[in-house]
Amino acid sequence: MADAEKPIDYIVVGGGLSGCVIASRIHQARPDLSVTLLEAGPDESRNEKVLMPAAARSLGDTPLLSKYKTTPQAHLNNRQVEFYGGRLLGGSSASNYGAWTRGHEDDYNLWAELVNDKRWSYGELLPYFKRSEHYHGTASDDQHGYEGPIHTSSGGRNYPLREVMRKIYEVSGIVSNPDMNTGNPVGIAPLVESWYQGNRQHAANCYPLQGVSVLTNTPATRIVISRDNDGIRRAIGVTIPSGKVLLAKNEVIICCGALKTPQLLMLSGIGPSSELVKHGIEQEMDLPVGLNLHDHPTTPVAFQLRYPERGLAVGSPEFMNKPNHFTGNPMDWFITAAISGDELEQAANTDSLFAGKKPVDFEITCLYTGSQYGAPDGSHITLGVVCLSTTARGTVTLQSNRPEDSPIIDPQYLSTEHDRIIMRSGVRFILQMMSSKAAEEHFTGEAPPQGFPQLTPVSPDAVIDSHVRSSTTCGQHPAGSASMGTVVDSECRVKGIGGLRVVDASIVPASISAHMQAPMYGIAERAAEMILHAAEMILHAA
């Protein structure tokens, strides 16, 4: 094979969250094995824009984020929605906003049921969530880790609206939940983040990579697959842009994320025949790669402050003059809730799919900023509805057979009545909550985008739906596009191809009611142990 080098024991493709965890854990446990980690972007681990919370939002204007646009979304007024992904060592863990939520235990129990493997249930994954976490709050030892590499934090910034918003939430009837990361996030809970002492805790800094051969600015362009005389296929390496082939002795592990992993698999001949034929790609294995894409669509609702001169939000001089306000995200609380089963039965009539009553349907966030009106001036805050139980399923397909071209992303946002009802109900919940006497003391009402009527608790469904269609964006939590059970087995091995695994959010078969960072650390820790167990089997068989 031309330009091939000496085989490496493990090649990990994608130096994001999962890739860093996998490479680090293999080397820590088996320093005798060679591990090479490929990352398409640079190493910016010490870049202040990466480390500092106040600078995190400016990363969108740099090459450190890959930017994608969806296809026009029929249920969002045919708008194209922007996706971002970290293009640097550490991936999106080095570029996201740092929210640390696990989701509900039922999500993982459903996952385990779907793949017929209890190792993916909440109880079985809990030790791996704990393994990644260094928790600093007061909580039960049986739910949190205190020696893991990722230090988390909660509160301590004393935002002026902290207690105001807590009171508004409580008046709405939502119960308090002191810790949302116990397998039951329902209620009003303090925000937990992967910011600690004013610094981002990201995978490339927190998981040691000393001893791992890290190749930055080096994407993989194809997976090299061999066939023996019996037609048995095996991944034996990857090609990189120079044309060089890196050979893998044991495994190739793909960790490129839910948008790029399916693209790399399909470029390598692993995917639906209908998609590969269109681009002249020889098929190695017919698998439903690129299907089952899901995300958490998000709708913002802004509110005008009654007394902006009091320094209550981002942009106000008094708010900006307090450095402590910028050691994390400008927010304090998450609300996690469900809507009534009766409402979802309406959706079943339209969708011909009843997802069942779930303990979690949506999340309410509150950012002390109104940046959608231009540069924040301290006059607005923004609440948001995040659809966590989404039933819409989209696709990732190929634009061409060229690795440098972006994939075609079609999330099918709000294509189910279920999701539309969730978003409508979430927006109405916010409007009802913000019309209470407790809220009216501090806010004058919803601040509509130009050309739209002001929303109130009694706004007709059609008016709220119009706001949702015009304002909804992505949650930046894509998952499911190389799902466990259909594309990979319950040990993350690609079906029909030896020596090839996928470990990233693309394997998640059903929506998890969480921001994907904390779940993915646990999932990657679980997968790393599976890989190491297989390495031990190889050692003993030798």
Side-chain angles (χ1 to χ4, degrees):
M1 185 176 294
D3 297 315
E5 296 194 339
K6 179 182 177 181
I8 303 155
D9 290 308
Y10 291 92
I11 296 175
V12 182
V13 181
L17 184 161
S18 298
C20 287
V21 173
I22 295 294
S24 179
R25 290 306 194 196
I26 292 174
H27 179 71
Q28 288 176 59
R30 291 289 305 274
D32 57 307
L33 297 174
S34 57
V35 181
T36 292
L37 175 64
L38 305 183
E39 166 52 41
D43 181 359
E44 297 286 344
S45 299
R46 301 301 170 187
N47 184 328
E48 285 193 356
K49 283 190 173 183
V50 170
L51 293 176
M52 295 174 57
R57 291 175 184 270
S58 65
L59 291 175
D61 298 322
T62 75
L64 301 182
L65 286 186
S66 294
K67 304 176 183 68
Y68 309 97
K69 279 194 173 182
T70 69
T71 59
Q73 296 296 288
H75 297 277
L76 300 184
N77 294 342
N78 286 318
R79 290 184 296 115
Q80 291 181 279
V81 176
E82 291 187 330
F83 265 105
Y84 297 93
R87 188 181 174 84
L88 71 168
L89 194 62
S92 293
S93 77
S95 62
N96 63 22
Y97 292 165
W100 190 265
T101 68
R102 279 186 200 162
H104 200 283
E105 62 182 348
D106 285 6
D107 301 329
Y108 300 96
N109 295 339
L110 173 61
W111 177 350
E113 183 180 332
L114 288 172
V115 302
N116 194 29
D117 191 333
K118 68 179 182 179
R119 289 178 295 180
W120 298 100
S121 67
Y122 182 81
E124 294 285 328
L125 279 172
L126 181 57
Y128 303 96
F129 293 141
K130 293 165 69 172
R131 185 175 294 178
S132 68
E133 180 185 53
H134 192 127
Y135 188 73
H136 291 271
T138 55
S140 170
D141 282 346
D142 66 357
Q143 287 292 327
H144 290 284
Y146 293 83
E147 298 179 354
I150 305 296
H151 291 249
T152 63
S153 62
S154 180
R157 295 192 286 275
N158 299 314
Y159 291 121
L161 287 175
R162 177 182 175 87
E163 291 307 308
V164 169
M165 295 309 300
R166 183 185 60 79
K167 182 178 179 181
I168 290 170
Y169 295 159
E170 289 179 344
V171 167
S172 73
I174 301 294
V175 299
S176 177
N177 183 343
D179 183 0
M180 68 186 302
N181 290 321
T182 62
N184 180 12
V186 175
I188 308 164
L191 169 70
V192 181
E193 305 165 294
S194 57
W195 303 101
Y196 181 65
Q197 295 181 343
N199 284 295
R200 180 190 293 279
Q201 304 290 291
H202 70 81
N205 275 352
C206 297
Y207 280 79
L209 295 172
Q210 294 82 0
V212 173
S213 175
V214 179
L215 303 182
T216 54
N217 301 302
T218 309
T221 57
R222 297 284 194 285
I223 303 162
V224 180
I225 298 171
S226 69
R227 300 186 206 181
D228 66 15
N229 292 333
D230 295 321
I232 296 174
R233 294 166 172 83
R234 182 174 182 83
I236 60 169
V238 297
T239 60
I240 58 178
S242 66
K244 183 181 293 185
V245 176
L246 304 181
L247 295 177
K249 183 179 178 182
N250 289 352
E251 293 188 18
V252 175
I253 304 159
I254 309 301
C255 306
C256 298
L259 304 181
K260 294 295 283 184
T261 283
Q263 180 187 26
L264 180 58
L265 291 173
M266 286 186 281
L267 289 172
S268 306
I270 304 168
S273 56
S274 58
E275 183 64 18
L276 303 184
V277 166
K278 283 193 296 186
H279 301 288
I281 299 170
E282 182 181 357
Q283 187 172 62
E284 297 287 352
M285 190 59 58
D286 189 356
L287 294 173
V289 172
L291 306 183
N292 194 46
L293 176 69
H294 47 88
D295 185 30
H296 295 144
T298 302
T299 300
V301 186
F303 288 85
Q304 172 80 45
L305 283 158
R306 190 175 293 279
Y307 304 108
E309 69 278 5
R310 293 180 180 176
L312 303 176
V314 173
S316 166
E318 187 175 344
F319 190 98
M320 304 300 285
N321 287 336
K322 295 181 179 178
N324 189 50
H325 284 175
F326 299 96
T327 58
N329 289 301
M331 59 193 304
D332 284 307
W333 310 100
F334 278 151
I335 291 179
T336 311
I339 68 173
S340 74
D342 291 344
E343 290 180 273
L344 294 182
E345 285 182 14
Q346 300 173 29
N349 294 329
T350 300
D351 297 336
S352 300
L353 169 69
F354 183 49
K357 183 72 176 72
K358 294 188 176 182
V360 169
D361 286 314
F362 63 82
E363 174 183 88
I364 302 295
T365 61
C366 177
L367 282 164
Y368 303 134
T369 181
S371 56
Q372 64 268 45
Y373 295 100
D377 62 4
S379 62
H380 295 81
I381 69 167
T382 305
L383 281 80
V385 182
V386 184
C387 180
L388 296 177
S389 66
T390 176
T391 58
R393 294 295 181 265
T395 59
V396 178
T397 54
L398 295 176
Q399 183 178 162
S400 74
N401 60 10
R402 292 158 33 101
E404 59 269 30
D405 289 341
S406 294
I408 297 172
I409 303 163
D410 182 9
Q412 289 285 310
Y413 285 129
L414 306 188
S415 58
T416 64
E417 185 66 13
H418 174 278
D419 291 8
R420 294 191 290 271
I421 286 177
I422 296 293
M423 298 305 275
R424 180 193 307 145
S425 299
V427 170
R428 194 176 294 283
F429 175 83
I430 286 175
L431 296 170
Q432 291 168 342
M433 182 170 62
M434 295 298 285
S435 69
S436 67
K437 288 185 178 180
E440 288 178 348
E441 291 178 18
H442 301 278
F443 302 95
T444 62
E446 189 255 342
Q450 187 173 3
F452 285 79
Q454 184 181 51
L455 297 178
T456 72
V458 296
S459 291
D461 286 352
V463 173
I464 292 178
D465 291 348
S466 177
H467 175 93
V468 169
R469 287 193 301 272
S470 67
S471 302
T472 293
T473 186
C474 71
Q476 307 292 356
H477 304 155
S481 51
S483 284
M484 186 175 290
T486 59
V487 176
V488 302
D489 68 12
S490 63
E491 294 212 350
C492 308
R493 298 172 298 201
V494 175
K495 293 186 173 187
I497 307 285
L500 182 62
R501 294 190 206 235
V502 174
V503 183
D504 58 34
S506 66
I507 70 171
V508 178
S511 185
I512 295 175
S513 54
H515 299 242
M516 291 303 292
Q517 175 177 227
M520 283 314 307
Y521 276 111
I523 290 164
E525 291 276 13
R526 166 74 273 189
E529 191 168 282
M530 291 174 168
I531 293 164
L532 287 165
H533 176 73
E536 287 299 309
M537 300 295 287
I538 293 171
L539 179 66
H540 293 311

